[in-house]
Amino acid sequence: MEDFTVPGDAEFARLVEEVSSGLLARGWKMVSAESCTGGWIAKCCTDRAGSSAWFERGYVTYSNAAKQDSLRVDAATLEHAGAVSREVALQMAQGACMRAGVEAALAVTGVAGPDGGTPQKPVGTVWFGWSLAGHSEAEVVAFSGDRDAIRRCSVAHALQGLIARLES
């Protein structure tokens, strides 16, 4: 696990400004699909006045049942890969895009702690998924710190990943 600078509200506002600019430049809207961040990404996006021009909605899918019902994550995938996995992060992002009818989605699923970690997926393991105009990518990051730090770093990383993909 690497040490990360834990972002504050000013950093979230800066990242949301970049997300907003990138989406508006394309005439796109986005959706968030969140598990361990519990809606924090949607909160950060909607803190910005005028966000309805580019932010469609957010799904908080904390349980496996919610991931299946709201985002159409496959039950077999949850069973064999687990909720904190590449496959689930991708399905969350793709399902959110499809359900919301938008061009861009980001998804987060992880172990924020302090409990719930395993040797294979220790506390701080977070999978991210992004889906933009039908192209999907995922990556995993191992964050360190307490629950708040892991969640804050996850929000920032998800937004940074969306910005990078909007710029490429």
Side-chain angles (χ1 to χ4, degrees):
M1 286 192 194
E2 298 177 42
D3 287 325
F4 293 87
T5 301
V6 178
D9 291 345
E11 176 65 2
F12 292 149
R14 185 191 69 73
L15 292 169
V16 167
E17 168 65 30
E18 288 188 50
V19 166
S20 156
S21 295
L23 291 167
L24 288 170
R26 288 165 184 72
W28 287 4
K29 285 196 170 191
M30 70 164 280
V31 61
S32 65
E34 304 179 62
S35 187
C36 66
T37 50
W40 205 334
I41 294 166
K43 184 251 190 254
C44 288
C45 288
T46 59
D47 279 349
R48 181 172 170 74
S51 58
S52 61
W54 52 270
F55 185 82
E56 173 62 28
R57 69 185 76 167
Y59 294 98
V60 178
T61 55
Y62 208 69
S63 70
N64 286 352
K67 288 173 182 67
Q68 292 172 68
D69 293 344
S70 297
L71 303 174
R72 298 190 177 143
V73 172
D74 184 63
T77 302
L78 286 161
E79 180 66 29
H80 87 271
V84 180
S85 64
R86 177 183 189 280
E87 297 88 343
V88 168
L90 286 171
Q91 286 186 21
M92 287 173 68
Q94 293 161 349
C97 256
M98 183 182 65
R99 295 294 302 259
V102 298
E103 300 83 5
L106 58 80
V108 182
T109 183
V111 185
D115 302 318
T118 66
Q120 297 78 23
K121 297 175 187 178
V123 169
T125 303
V126 182
W127 273 97
F128 299 87
W130 297 274
S131 185
L132 281 80
H135 176 73
S136 300
E137 296 179 44
E139 71 179 19
V140 65
V141 178
F143 295 112
S144 60
D146 64 11
R147 183 176 180 82
D148 186 66
I150 291 165
R151 294 176 75 212
R152 284 180 173 275
C153 289
S154 296
V155 169
H157 189 80
L159 293 169
Q160 289 164 346
L162 181 57
I163 293 163
R165 284 155 181 84
L166 286 166
E167 290 175 349
S168 66

